[in-house]
Amino acid sequence: MLKATGIGIGIGATALATPAGAAGAPLVHPGLLHTRADLGRMAAKLKGGARPYAAGFAKLTANRHAQSGWRANPQAVVYRGSGTPENYRILYNDIHAAYQNALRYHVSGEEAHADTAVAILNAWSGKLTRLEGSADRFLAAGLYGYQFANAAELVRDHGDFDLGRAQELMSDVFHPLSDDFLTRHNGAVVTNYWPNWDLAALACVLATGIFCDERAVVERAVEYFKHGDGMGSVKHAIPVVHEDGLGEWVEAGRDQGHALLGVGLMGTACEMAWNQGIDLYGYDDSRFLKGAQYVAKWALGGDVPYTANTRKKGAIGGWSGTETASDAAGVDPGMTRPIWAMIANHYTKRRGLPASYLTRAAAKAAPEGGGGDYGPNSGGFDQLGFGTLAFTRDRGRAGEPVGGPSPSPGPSGGSRAVGGVRPQASASAVGGGDLAATGSGDAAGWAAAAGIGAVAGGLLLLRRRDRVLRRGAGE
């Protein structure tokens, strides 16, 4: 179905061909999941008591990871999937504590939370030397790499933060495993791994490029998103677009949890790219919108079509096999991850596009929490979360730039700008040893997400209007 390639780019390597207008353009900071404008919006909305920001902030402050008394427990070697001790839980708990404290600082202005985030990140960058384990080490690198970079990006201007050492940790520990996975897929045939493996690695590579100011690494991730041979590139993750406009998410044939993970990771990559003026959200006629809508409808209990597919598994030159997914898996409408607010707000508020399934899913999940709010296991820490607070936005106004952040002061001071968007610019075990040994017309939806008419404790039922107002022609 797909074929393997190898086009790895390390930190500082020669760039792939850069899109028009990208050469020499400075990268924006902060510019991963949150820009200065985003952080300023959160703070201003909270100060004014606006809904649903207040509920989102209350969710943050109630989380035990968001407390200034958190103390880091750095490890020299982190193991996931195998090895002694299997201690990756320590890493993801500390990273989420750093992120939540950093976000809380920007929204509230309380310096103690910035100091706590800095102390956690400095402790890890001063001690962690490598990631080990089964194939799950690639998941650890991808997931915790993009998360570490996002936490660090929020305090990169703090006087006590060791930026250089944090950049070295990203470039020397997290990034190499992620880039190698996109190149060699752990020695497996390229379809052996479902999309979420690629997408975790891609998110880390993209976050590394932005955080470390390496344009070539950013473009490596963008190229893979568009044209990569692995199952995580957009046309392989969403191989079929149906006549109703829904894009079939291939991992829906596996199970609900991993499909939600994949959508969350692809959204994360799209948001980080957007904040650097690169529109992956809109790539290929907004293919990701169609796939996210499909998964949202399915996860809410709706019927969706699924095209049977057979993928090859195994090691190159070694064992081999096939696996067929013939139908969309069953779902639990009560299962959720904090992934919907970011995606729904982009398409309906920034772009003015209809996305009723997304807004229903976002309303049902609101207010979104973060690591620690969705159980103690690793799946509850795959996304940084708090989208109700971080990504709720007003509808864009006509004449605003198409993409990228606008200058806005933040607690760290200073501001930067970026140009407009360039157009189109844990897994289950399988056989074979170490290969994968792991484990708008949306007004009603947004009203519910803001706390107006939400139905507690059950599936939120919202009427879909026939007509969607499209605003923000220049947005």
Side-chain angles (χ1 to χ4, degrees):
M1 183 168 72
L2 306 170
K3 67 176 184 177
T5 65
I7 49 170
I9 289 184
I11 295 290
T14 302
L16 294 172
T18 50
L27 294 171
V28 177
H29 300 292
L32 288 171
L33 286 175
H34 313 301
T35 65
R36 290 203 187 280
D38 294 331
L39 298 168
R41 180 186 67 250
M42 293 178 226
K45 293 288 189 180
L46 180 66
K47 185 176 180 179
R51 292 188 299 177
Y53 297 88
F57 186 69
K59 193 78 173 178
L60 173 63
T61 58
N63 193 302
R64 71 184 185 92
H65 295 76
Q67 311 310 311
S68 60
W70 189 279
R71 296 294 177 264
N73 183 19
Q75 309 289 305
V77 182
V78 166
Y79 298 92
R80 177 167 174 168
S82 65
T84 304
E86 194 178 358
N87 56 356
Y88 67 101
R89 294 169 182 83
I90 299 172
L91 175 58
Y92 68 64
N93 275 281
D94 275 1
I95 290 175
H96 281 256
Y99 172 77
Q100 291 179 28
N101 272 278
L103 185 62
R104 185 170 177 177
Y105 156 67
H106 279 283
V107 178
S108 71
E110 298 171 274
E111 294 281 349
H113 294 289
D115 295 340
T116 298
V118 167
I120 295 168
L121 297 166
N122 282 348
W124 278 94
S125 69
K127 190 162 186 177
L128 182 61
T129 60
R130 66 185 191 275
L131 303 171
E132 299 286 354
S134 67
D136 276 17
R137 69 191 183 277
F138 294 107
L139 290 177
L143 293 169
Y144 312 139
Y146 95 77
Q147 292 171 1
F148 183 93
N150 269 277
E153 183 79 351
L154 291 179
V155 295
R156 68 182 293 138
D157 295 331
H158 191 286
D160 294 329
F161 179 56
D162 196 328
L163 175 60
R165 201 168 69 191
Q167 290 174 325
E168 289 177 2
L169 180 62
M170 287 300 303
S171 63
D172 296 345
V173 177
F174 291 112
H175 175 266
L177 280 170
S178 293
D179 186 77
D180 185 71
F181 186 83
L182 295 181
T183 303
R184 281 176 277 274
H185 290 89
N186 195 31
V189 296
V190 74
T191 55
N192 185 79
Y193 292 95
W194 288 97
N196 74 86
W197 289 81
D198 264 5
L199 290 166
L202 186 149
C204 178
V205 171
L206 179 59
T208 301
I210 295 169
F211 182 66
C212 296
D213 285 303
E214 291 283 352
R215 172 66 68 178
V217 178
V218 172
E219 297 304 335
R220 154 71 160 149
V222 170
E223 174 66 15
Y224 197 93
F225 178 95
K226 295 178 178 180
H227 305 299
D229 283 331
M231 293 189 75
S233 62
V234 68
K235 292 183 182 180
H236 292 148
I238 310 167
V240 179
V241 176
H242 295 281
E243 290 183 0
D244 62 1
L246 296 181
E248 185 174 302
W249 190 266
V250 70
E251 207 155 1
R254 181 187 184 190
D255 62 58
Q256 182 182 3
H258 288 97
L260 294 176
L261 169 60
V263 170
L265 289 171
M266 187 171 284
T268 294
C270 288
E271 185 70 16
M272 292 189 298
W274 176 271
N275 287 333
Q276 297 299 326
I278 302 167
D279 188 8
L280 298 183
Y281 277 120
Y283 177 71
D284 193 26
D285 194 27
S286 297
R287 195 178 191 93
F288 177 52
L289 168 61
K290 298 167 186 176
Q293 281 268 87
Y294 174 100
V295 173
K297 179 182 179 181
W298 169 64
L300 288 165
D303 292 330
V304 293
Y306 190 84
T307 305
N309 68 84
T310 299
R311 64 190 184 93
K312 293 182 179 180
K313 303 194 304 180
I316 296 174
W319 71 273
S320 63
T322 61
E323 181 177 66
T324 298
S326 58
D327 202 356
V331 299
D332 172 9
M335 180 187 291
T336 190
R337 285 177 179 249
I339 64 174
W340 300 114
M342 175 178 66
I343 304 167
N345 272 278
H346 172 80
Y347 285 115
T348 68
K349 300 297 182 64
R350 277 184 179 144
R351 305 300 289 149
L353 299 173
S356 61
Y357 297 118
L358 286 175
T359 53
R360 286 173 58 186
K364 180 172 178 283
E368 289 181 353
D373 290 320
Y374 299 90
N377 297 325
S378 61
F381 292 81
D382 288 340
Q383 282 83 33
L384 290 169
F386 300 103
T388 306
L389 169 66
F391 301 110
T392 299
R393 60 184 72 247
D394 298 325
R395 186 179 292 276
R397 297 180 299 275
E400 289 182 346
V402 170
S406 57
S408 177
S412 303
S415 64
R416 299 193 184 193
V418 69
V421 165
R422 291 178 290 281
Q424 298 297 329
S426 14
S428 299
V430 297
D434 191 47
L435 293 173
T438 66
S440 71
D442 308 300
W446 288 123
I452 305 169
V455 178
L459 181 63
L460 190 61
L461 299 176
L462 303 171
R463 289 191 309 162
R464 185 179 184 183
R465 298 188 304 191
D466 294 329
R467 201 166 52 129
V468 174
L469 297 176
R470 295 176 180 264
R471 298 182 186 174
E475 181 21 18

